[in-house]
């Protein structure tokens, strides 16, 4: 069974930084495309960033480009999201997600589309304050 567990969330002041981690178990991570999504109460879930199996391809929401960086360490079965220059509107529950995927073409065909992802973590809260 695939399990995804997020960590590294918390509270930070606007302009600060946080790094989220997602530890995967029950899976060989190199076989999966991985992503981060976020959601606030009453709003739709949105894709934040995702990454292909070998890290050659990445996708970012326009709202986080230049501020967030997604990366992965397949040997450690861990996905990361480095968040800098945080804004109040970044406050949300952040979810780690995974899906089986093939080549880079397959990755780009469904980048940042939540319905394409099959496995989800419990989520972790990020709160940005002024």
């Amino acid at each position: 069974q695939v399990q995804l567990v997020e960590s590294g969330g918390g509270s930070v002041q606007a302009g600060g930084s946080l790094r989220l981690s997602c530890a995967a178990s029950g899976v060989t991570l190199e076989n999966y495309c991985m992503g981060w999504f976020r959601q606030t109460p009453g709003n739709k879930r949105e894709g934040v960033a995702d990454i292909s199996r070998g890290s050659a391809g990445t996708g970012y929401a326009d709202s986080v480009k230049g501020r967030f960086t997604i990366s992965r360490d397949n040997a450690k079965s861990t996905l990361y999201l480095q968040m800098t220059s945080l804004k109040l509107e970044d406050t949300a529950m952040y979810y780690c997600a995974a899906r089986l995927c093939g080549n880079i073409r397959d990755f780009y065909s469904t980048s940042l589309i939540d319905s394409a992802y099959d496995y989800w973590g419990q989520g972790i809260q990020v709160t940005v304050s002024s």
Side-chain angles (χ1 to χ4, degrees):
Q1 293 182 333
V2 178
Q3 290 186 308
L4 304 173
V5 181
E6 302 94 339
S7 63
S11 298
V12 65
Q13 289 191 323
S17 301
L18 283 175
R19 188 179 75 160
L20 303 183
S21 298
C22 173
S25 61
V27 61
T28 301
L29 198 66
E30 64 188 14
N31 295 328
Y32 291 81
C33 293
M34 304 291 294
W36 291 97
F37 296 79
R38 66 187 182 187
Q39 188 172 28
T40 55
N43 295 311
K44 296 179 179 179
R45 185 166 56 193
E46 65 173 341
V48 177
D50 57 8
I51 189 167
S52 62
R53 296 196 299 164
S55 302
T58 57
Y60 292 94
D62 289 340
S63 60
V64 306
K65 286 182 178 178
R67 299 190 298 118
F68 291 10
T69 302
I70 190 169
S71 62
R72 62 192 294 163
D73 187 335
N74 290 336
K76 295 182 178 179
S77 295
T78 304
L79 175 74
Y80 303 97
L81 184 68
Q82 180 67 53
M83 304 183 292
T84 62
S85 301
L86 283 161
K87 303 176 180 180
L88 293 178
E89 51 263 44
D90 294 319
T91 295
M93 186 74 73
Y94 284 72
Y95 297 89
C96 174
R99 63 179 175 95
L100 285 168
C101 62
N103 57 27
I104 194 71
R105 182 178 177 182
D106 294 332
F107 168 75
Y108 281 118
S109 69
T110 52
S111 178
L112 300 179
I113 299 176
D114 60 353
S115 62
Y117 285 80
D118 302 307
Y119 307 103
W120 296 84
Q122 291 290 313
I124 191 164
Q125 182 68 35
V126 171
T127 302
V128 184
S129 61
S130 61

